[in-house]
Amino acid sequence: MYHHGVFIMVIRFYKACVGLSAVMLLLFVMEWRKNAAFEYMFTFALVPVVNLGYVWLADSDNLEEAMIAQKIIYIGGCFLNLFLLFGIFSICNIKLKSWVKTLLIFAAFLMYGGILTMDKGELYYKSVTFKKVGELTLLEKEYGPIHTLFYIYMILILLASVLVLVYAMIYRPGTSIRNLIILIIMDAASLVAFFGEKILAAVAGMEFEVMPAFYIIAEIVFLILFHRIKS
């Protein structure tokens, strides 16, 4: 049985991530330039919203409220990781054809449309149970076929980012090695964050999301590289 303080720490962690991501957004606005790629702007704008979703979920008082928060959280999985991929393309100076980018964004919207059905039928969640563990709200979920598609989508995005970095190292000798190393560290952090929740749930017996921390790391990386490229 977990101590009262553990649940308080989890909620404070989520709230701290909201505050830090808001600070990152402010710093990015101060660094903004007109010719910056749109993925930077959307990444920094969406992270505070997604991280706020984690706070809302943790503090939810009923299933309906928790499901709304869960839908906000999934904006991160569908769009933030895709924008991070676009950012990696941009930093590595690899031109992505406009039709490919449009197709990927369309796929993200399609995936998110499927996610929005989570409280209707059994396509995304076969069942969802609301429960309070101390002060923390948890959802016990049985997953459906669309959730499996979402995991495949996420893995493909992560794999694509790795392949882009490998391609840049081999075929883009002019790309900054320091930038590539920073991006590789960010990719490693994304893998830890993506699979970390499942590992923590298995080891600690309590659901605890680490993606909010990864989004902060990604913002810091983008902010550093954005400043380096700008200067």
Side-chain angles (χ1 to χ4, degrees), residues 75-149:
I75 293 173
C78 287
F79 297 101
L80 278 179
N81 291 285
L82 181 60
F83 293 149
L84 291 174
L85 175 61
F86 290 161
I88 289 172
F89 270 102
S90 178
I91 292 166
C92 293
N93 200 26
I94 299 173
K95 181 82 171 165
L96 188 62
K97 292 184 183 297
S98 58
W99 69 266
V100 175
K101 186 175 284 191
T102 302
L103 186 63
L104 289 171
I105 293 172
F106 176 75
F109 273 105
L110 199 63
M111 189 73 258
Y112 192 64
I115 287 168
L116 291 178
T117 68
M118 65 171 62
D119 52 355
K120 300 176 180 68
E122 299 182 352
L123 288 175
Y124 197 81
Y125 291 145
K126 291 182 179 179
S127 66
V128 183
T129 303
F130 177 89
K131 70 173 186 176
K132 277 282 188 181
V133 182
E135 289 76 17
L136 193 64
T137 296
L138 297 177
L139 294 177
E140 289 185 346
K141 298 158 282 192
E142 185 183 357
Y143 299 116
I146 295 181
H147 184 270
T148 303
L149 288 176

Side-chain angles (χ1 to χ4, degrees), residues 18-173:
V18 173
L20 286 171
S21 56
V23 171
M24 292 296 108
L25 174 60
L26 179 61
L27 291 173
F28 174 73
V29 169
M30 292 169 63
E31 291 282 329
W32 176 255
R33 68 181 190 275
K34 289 182 180 179
N35 64 336
F38 80 93
E39 52 264 15
Y40 293 110
M41 178 184 68
F42 279 105
T43 298
F44 281 86
L46 285 178
V47 171
V49 175
V50 173
N51 283 351
L52 191 61
Y54 285 102
V55 176
W56 191 2
L57 176 61
D59 275 337
S60 296
D61 294 319
N62 54 66
L63 180 59
E64 183 180 1
E65 191 179 345
M67 292 297 273
I68 295 171
Q70 192 75 21
K71 290 174 183 178
I72 293 172
I73 289 169
Y74 271 108
I75 293 173
C78 287
F79 297 101
L80 278 179
N81 291 285
L82 181 60
F83 293 149
L84 291 174
L85 175 61
F86 290 161
I88 289 172
F89 270 102
S90 178
I91 292 166
C92 293
N93 200 26
I94 299 173
K95 181 82 171 165
L96 188 62
K97 292 184 183 297
S98 58
W99 69 266
V100 175
K101 186 175 284 191
T102 302
L103 186 63
L104 289 171
I105 293 172
F106 176 75
F109 273 105
L110 199 63
M111 189 73 258
Y112 192 64
I115 287 168
L116 291 178
T117 68
M118 65 171 62
D119 52 355
K120 300 176 180 68
E122 299 182 352
L123 288 175
Y124 197 81
Y125 291 145
K126 291 182 179 179
S127 66
V128 183
T129 303
F130 177 89
K131 70 173 186 176
K132 277 282 188 181
V133 182
E135 289 76 17
L136 193 64
T137 296
L138 297 177
L139 294 177
E140 289 185 346
K141 298 158 282 192
E142 185 183 357
Y143 299 116
I146 295 181
H147 184 270
T148 303
L149 288 176
F150 171 73
Y151 258 63
I152 293 170
Y153 169 83
M154 285 286 290
I155 290 169
L156 288 174
I157 293 293
L158 292 171
L159 180 62
S161 65
V162 172
L163 292 175
V164 170
L165 292 173
V166 171
Y167 178 88
M169 293 180 80
I170 297 172
Y171 297 106
R172 288 287 191 275

